[in-house]
Structure formats: structure tokens, C-alpha cells
């Protein structure tokens, strides 16, 4: 027992040192579910808002930065599993009135990723991050009643370094995918881009003499650059599922990283774990709510990669709706609305039992 206690204390010390590099910030602001109360332990169901950004080189800093990926991570009260629910970034929503100190808005009807963009518009650094996440969280709270205990902004480009540290990830490609970003010329040399793109990054046709990088259906140990390139793709997916395909692949990517970190050769190696957490910390900005990072990690220690369940919004198909401006947007089907209600009510196990088709195929 003394030895075990010593190990736990030592592990806490390692975690405290390793997580110093995490950028910690109040991201949720008025959308937080903490209510200002102090907690002694992490109990009950928890919701974490994960926002993925994938800034491109040369992006104009004055442009509105919209979220590439919006994931609700729901953890039931027993803390034995987690459910990842992606919200399609083009979903039509009502964005509440908001002031960020630079711009002031009335009610807006736009894509949900615009809530993130409008929140931080005209701001930089920590202020931009905080207002972006706060307005996005308020939008979700107002529409579906879901509140958040913690949040994180995930930089997918930065996660390439994470994959470097853990030595690649195991990914299962579920549909043939061609890259618009990477290709090979006739000499076999890697070139970029792999496809002709507009100034907005929209693919418009092949480049003569260039063969795009392809990811065929099957399971592979992907190198860091391959994993990042694969999860960026949405335009040349074999099933034509565009953003839904990219959402699913980003969920798989995060799960694959989690699986590798939780493996014995990382988790039981303090030096390696410290290096991984340091690198993760540089690729994320987190709002840990009322708890320390170490407390979150220990409270959720019962969740392994196999108990992290990824779900398909709209069953992975496009649902078209007309907005007030008569433009086309994505909507949410009745089953997806039931899924969000189950997140609010901590009833995801019951939802999955009723709708097993909404569970995405595991990639591990």
C-alpha cells in the first residue's frame, strides 16, 4: 500500500510538471456550467466542447477564423465511457446577440462555425480565443440546452508534432480518399498542391503531370504528415460525404492519438508521457473549468480508447434546409436532435441502444 501510494504521488508530480506547457484560459466565460461553485471532486456527467482549427499558411489575420470541427465530448456520470458528437459546421443556427469589445451583433442566422468566427472577429490572441469559444458555447446552450464544464481549442497542424512524438498513429481508412494538398510528379517527387485549387482552396481540377496522394480503404500505421493530410480531406472522398467524412476522420484521428497515448509503452513511461503531454499542451488551449488537469485525468482514468464512442450526426448524410436568406444550409434530422437531447439528459447509452446505426465504425 505504501508503494502504491508513492507511485500515485509520483505520477501526480510527473503530470503536474508535464502539463505546465498547456495554455490555460477561461474560454467559456458566461457559457460555463461551473456557476462559480468550488468542487472538491469531479462527479456527475460532464460535457467538454472541442473546437478544431486548421489555419492555412498565409491566411489573412484579419479574416474571420471559422471552426473546422465542432465536437461535443459527453462523459456519463459513471465516467466509464465517452461519446463524441460532431456538429456539422454548416448547420443553420440562430446566433445570439453578442459584444466582443470590437464588434457588436444582433441575432444572426448563419452556419454554426460562424458563431466561433463572429465571436473573435477583429481580436487577436487570447481575447480572440475566449470570445470565439464563448459565443459558440452560448449558441449551443441557447439552441439545445447543453452546457459545458470544460473546453479546448485543438490545433490540427500542431497535432502533427504530437504524432511525431508518439511515433505515428494507426488509422483505418473507411473510404478511398484523394488528397488535394499533396501529390507526386512524374519523377515521383512529392509536390503541393496535389490538385488545382481556387484562391479559397476549392479544388477545380487535376494538375497535368501530378498524381494526388491516395489513401485506399484499409488499416495502416500512418506517418505524422500522412495522418494530418488524411484528416484534412473533404472534397475528393469516394463516398462524396464531404464534411461528414472529414468529421468522422477527425474523430478517428483524435481517438487514434488517445489510443496510442494510453498504450503501455507511453502511459507507463514517465519520461515519454511527459514529452507527449508537453507536445499536446502546445497544440491545445484549454479551459479546465473548476478542476485541475491532473484531476480531470484521474477522474476519467476509466475511459479507454475502446470505450470512446464516435457518433454520426444525420447518419453521415447531408440534410438540406433553406435559411431566412433563402440560401442552402445543413439542418439536423429528428434523430440528431434526439441525440443532442440525450447529451443534455445524460442518456446516451439509451440513445445508442435505440440507434446503433448512428455509431461510427471504430478505427482501432
Amino acid at each position: 500500500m505504501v508503494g502504491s501510494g508513492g507511485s500515485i504521488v509520483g505520477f501526480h508530480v510527473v503530470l503536474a510538471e508535464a502539463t505546465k506547457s498547456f495554455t490555460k484560459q477561461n474560454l467559456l466565460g458566461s457559457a460555463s456550467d461551473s456557476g462559480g461553485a468550488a468542487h472538491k471532486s469531479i462527479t456527475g456527467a460532464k460535457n467538454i466542447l472541442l473546437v478544431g482549427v486548421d489555419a492555412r499558411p498565409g491566411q489573412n489575420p484579419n479574416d474571420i477564423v471559422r471552426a473546422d470541427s465542432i465536437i461535443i465530448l459527453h462523459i456519463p456520470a459513471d465516467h466509464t465511457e465517452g461519446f463524441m458528437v460532431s456538429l456539422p459546421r454548416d448547420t443553420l443556427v440562430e446566433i445570439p446577440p453578442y459584444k466582443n469589445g470590437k464588434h457588436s451583433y444582433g441575432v444572426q442566422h448563419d452556419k454554426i462555425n460562424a458563431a466561433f468566427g463572429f465571436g473573435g472577429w477583429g481580436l487577436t490572441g487570447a481575447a480572440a480565443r475566449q470570445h470565439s469559444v464563448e459565443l459558440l458555447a452560448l449558441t449551443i446552450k441557447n439552441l439545445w440546452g447543453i452546457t459545458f464544464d470544460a473546453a479546448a481549442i485543438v490545433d490540427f497542424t500542431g497535432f502533427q508534432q504530437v504524432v511525431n512524438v508518439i511515433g505515428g498513429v494507426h488509422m483505418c481508412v473507411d473510404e478511398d480518399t484523394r488528397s488535394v494538398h499533396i501529390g507526386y510528379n512524374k519523377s515521383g517527387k512529392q509536390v503541393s498542391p496535389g490538385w488545382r485549387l481556387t484562391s479559397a482552396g476549392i479544388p477545380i481540377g487535376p494538375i497535368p503531370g501530378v498524381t494526388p496522394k491516395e489513401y485506399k480503404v484499409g488499416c495502416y500505421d500512418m506517418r505524422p504528415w500522412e495522418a494530418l493530410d488524411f484528416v484534412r480531406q473533404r472534397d475528393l472522398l469516394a463516398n462524396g460525404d464531404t464534411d461528414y467524412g472529414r468529421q468522422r476522420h477527425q474523430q478517428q484521428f483524435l481517438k487514434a492519438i488517445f489510443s496510442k497515448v494510453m498504450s503501455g509503452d507511453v502511459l507507463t513511461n514517465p519520461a515519454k508521457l511527459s514529452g507527449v503531454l508537453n507536445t499536446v499542451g502546445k497544440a491545445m488551449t484549454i479551459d479546465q473549468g473548476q478542476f485541475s488537469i491532473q484531476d480531470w485525468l484521474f477522474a476519467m482514468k476509466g475511459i479507454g480508447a475502446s470505450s470512446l464512442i464516435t457518433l454520426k450526426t444525420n447518419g453521415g448524410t447531408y440534410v438540406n434546409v433553406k435559411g431566412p436568406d433563402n440560401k442552402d444550409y445543413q439542418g439536423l434530422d429528428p434523430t440528431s436532435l434526439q441525440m443532442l437531447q440525450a447529451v443534455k439528459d445524460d442518456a446516451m447509452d439509451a440513445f445508442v441502444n435505440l440507434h446503433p446505426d448512428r455509431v461510427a465504425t471504430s478505427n482501432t
Side-chain angles (χ1 to χ4, degrees), residues 10-22 274 277-278 294:
F11 199 59
H12 266 294
V13 172
V14 170
L15 285 177
E17 183 64 29
T19 55
K20 280 183 179 179
S21 65
F22 279 63
S274 177
L277 290 178
N278 268 305
Q294 298 96 298

Side-chain angles (χ1 to χ4, degrees), residues 193-235:
W195 203 261
R196 278 200 306 134
L197 307 173
T198 67
S199 59
I202 299 172
I204 54 177
I207 300 174
V210 174
T211 302
K213 167 73 174 175
E214 289 194 69
Y215 302 92
K216 293 290 189 181
V217 171
C219 297
Y220 311 94
D221 290 323
M222 287 191 180
R223 291 168 288 183
W225 68 267
E226 288 177 312
L228 182 63
D229 183 55
F230 173 64
V231 301
R232 279 178 164 170
Q233 306 310 314
R234 72 174 190 140
D235 295 293

Side-chain angles (χ1 to χ4, degrees), residues 26 29-39 148-149 289-291:
N26 178 2
S30 62
S32 173
D33 193 35
S34 66
H39 297 281
F148 296 99
D149 304 278
Q290 295 295 302
F291 312 103

Side-chain angles (χ1 to χ4, degrees), residues 173-178 214-218 236-239:
V173 178
D174 54 8
E175 59 182 317
D176 289 344
T177 301
R178 284 182 294 174
E214 289 194 69
Y215 302 92
K216 293 290 189 181
V217 171
L236 301 180
L237 305 181
N239 296 339

